[in-house]
Amino acid sequence: MSPKTNHAWHEIDKQYYLQTFRRFPLALEKGLGSRVWDVEGNEYIDMLAGIAVNSVGHCHPRLVKAIQNQAAKLIHISNFFVSTPQVELSKKLTEVSGMDRIFFANSGAESVEGAIKLARRYAHKHGRGGTIISCKGSFHGRTLATIATGKKRMQEGFDPIPSGFKQVPFNDLDAVKAAADQQTAAIILEPIQGEGGINVADPAFMKGLREFCDAENIVLIFDEVQCGMGRTGKMFAKEHFGVEPDIMTLAKALGGGVPIGAFLANEKTGSAIEFGDHGTTYGGNPLVCAASLAVVEIIEEENLLQEAAEKGEWLRSRMKEMDHPAVKEVRGKGLMIGVEFEFETKQLVMEMLDRGVLANATAGNVLRLVPPLNISYGDLEQVMTVLKESLKVMEEAHA
């Protein structure tokens, strides 16, 4: 007989699963829209959405139907053959993004790895080295190459770290120019840093970066794994800045919960690739592409870009109206929101969990909120109530 409690499932998980996640003590078994339920029947408002993945909500009927239909028809083939869902999705994403070429992967980190390979291929063909410059506070994945672009803490114990990577402060164009040389292949950044604490790029920095990359023939890569696919109120965060990258990476919300990633490129950069330079077994198989195509259509046809923009503005306004002395800053765009506090936010997240709201602490003292784009205003009102109650409980405990 299956266990009936969260605790029992949690203990079994600890017995078998590699202990690399500090999991919440919940075993979730179903979801619908912006709500999820655990094995004990407790209901939660999901303000984390699988870390910005379930953007069209849990078990959206149109997404479920697309997966069911495709699973009954054709799940997987080799990329030696053409898949009609893959062709349809390739066409759709290049059209909505304004990019020219696309390659499908299975995750965000894998998409970034592919982007790095393509950037280096282009650079070598034009007499440049292969060094990649990233920004402090960034997060591009957990493979060896992607941790080389990120925080030193994530590199500890994994030496030797791949060479050919440099870091500069976020939003510092002078630092980028000082770090770049003939060995520089590409500059990679998130237009809005996710794990780093929901830090929004400065428009002048973005425009200056594009001009510098053009002048030096350096590839500009935007990592939109977390901020892409409607999360910020635009289909892609790059649209907020009026700046086009040479390569853009996607994942997370791209599949609405099924594992799919992608990197897109303009023709100039994409033309550097040659037959056999890159490949994948599972990437872009019929099942995940059918799901992803449904996600894009839901975002467009249910007007979720406007929903994200308006609800995000509403929620940030309500956060600021609290005028809480411990709130240092409320930032973000659309429904990618970070609330920076004077204190570490892990306890706050647990207090909210006890009151039926799933959220996340990132960058130490930032409360990250990335709910489904179609979350109701009623649920957002309840989230605000829970947040206020949780802060009050913490204040009383430390009085």
Side-chain angles (χ1 to χ4, degrees), residues 108-122:
E110 193 178 327
S111 300
V112 172
E113 289 256 7
I116 290 171
K117 282 183 69 177
L118 178 57
R120 283 180 167 172
R121 197 75 170 93
Y122 176 86

Side-chain angles (χ1 to χ4, degrees), residues 171 200-208 240-241 243:
N171 279 329
V200 182
D202 181 82
F205 171 68
M206 296 287 271
K207 286 183 170 59
H240 291 286
F241 306 95
V243 174

Side-chain angles (χ1 to χ4, degrees), residues 263-276:
F263 63 90
L264 297 100
N266 56 27
E267 189 64 35
K268 181 189 80 169
T269 312
S271 63
I273 209 80
E274 296 181 5
F275 291 113

Side-chain angles (χ1 to χ4, degrees), residues 24-47:
F24 291 107
L26 297 182
L28 300 177
E29 71 171 355
K30 68 177 182 178
L32 186 64
S34 56
R35 301 287 181 116
V36 291
W37 289 261
D38 66 24
V39 294
E40 297 175 14
N42 300 308
E43 185 175 353
Y44 305 87
I45 298 173
D46 189 359
M47 293 296 288

Side-chain angles (χ1 to χ4, degrees), residues 35 42 46 54 59 63 66 153 165 233 237 239 242 263 280 311 325 347 388 394:
R35 301 287 181 116
N42 300 308
D46 189 359
N54 303 107
C59 299
L63 176 56
R153 178 179 58 80
F165 295 90
E239 297 170 38
F263 63 90
T280 177
K311 289 171 181 173
Q347 183 185 348
K388 292 173 184 175
M394 289 175 63

Side-chain angles (χ1 to χ4, degrees), residues 196-215:
I198 318 298
N199 305 307
V200 182
D202 181 82
F205 171 68
M206 296 287 271
K207 286 183 170 59
L209 203 54
R210 178 70 275 175
E211 292 169 359
F212 177 68
C213 288
D214 285 340

Side-chain angles (χ1 to χ4, degrees), residues 349-368:
V349 167
M350 295 308 296
E351 293 291 346
M352 293 176 71
L353 177 68
D354 289 343
R355 290 161 182 79
V357 172
L358 306 185
N360 172 247
T362 192
N365 64 337
V366 177
L367 177 69
R368 174 169 49 176

Side-chain angles (χ1 to χ4, degrees), residues 224-386:
E224 296 225 18
V225 167
Q226 188 166 155
C227 60
M229 299 308 298
R231 171 60 47 194
T232 67
K234 303 282 188 184
M235 187 63 84
F236 306 104
K238 67 185 178 73
E239 297 170 38
H240 291 286
F241 306 95
V243 174
E244 293 295 324
D246 298 300
I247 304 175
M248 178 173 71
T249 62
L250 301 173
K252 288 191 180 288
L254 180 59
V258 300
I260 181 172
F263 63 90
L264 297 100
N266 56 27
E267 189 64 35
K268 181 189 80 169
T269 312
S271 63
I273 209 80
E274 296 181 5
F275 291 113
D277 277 351
H278 198 51
T280 177
T281 297
Y282 293 108
N285 78 17
L287 184 65
V288 297
C289 285
S292 181
L293 190 61
V295 168
V296 179
E297 291 171 349
I298 291 165
I299 290 172
E300 290 182 331
E301 295 173 21
E302 296 188 8
N303 205 22
L304 295 190
L305 299 182
Q306 184 176 345
E307 293 270 308
E310 292 177 354
K311 289 171 181 173
E313 180 61 35
W314 181 91
L315 189 55
R316 287 193 302 277
S317 295
R318 292 295 299 273
M319 293 283 182
K320 292 173 183 175
E321 286 169 9
M322 282 198 311
D323 197 26
H324 195 281
V327 174
K328 295 177 66 177
E329 187 179 12
V330 179
R331 53 182 179 258
K333 287 186 180 295
L335 283 170
M336 186 174 183
I337 297 172
V339 186
E340 185 177 357
F341 285 87
E342 295 282 357
F343 52 78
E344 296 268 319
T345 50
K346 287 183 179 179
Q347 183 185 348
L348 175 59
V349 167
M350 295 308 296
E351 293 291 346
M352 293 176 71
L353 177 68
D354 289 343
R355 290 161 182 79
V357 172
L358 306 185
N360 172 247
T362 192
N365 64 337
V366 177
L367 177 69
R368 174 169 49 176
L369 302 172
V370 284
L373 307 184
N374 49 11
I375 189 171
S376 69
Y377 280 103
D379 277 357
L380 293 177
E381 287 276 12
Q382 179 63 17
V383 168
M384 287 303 304
T385 298
V386 165

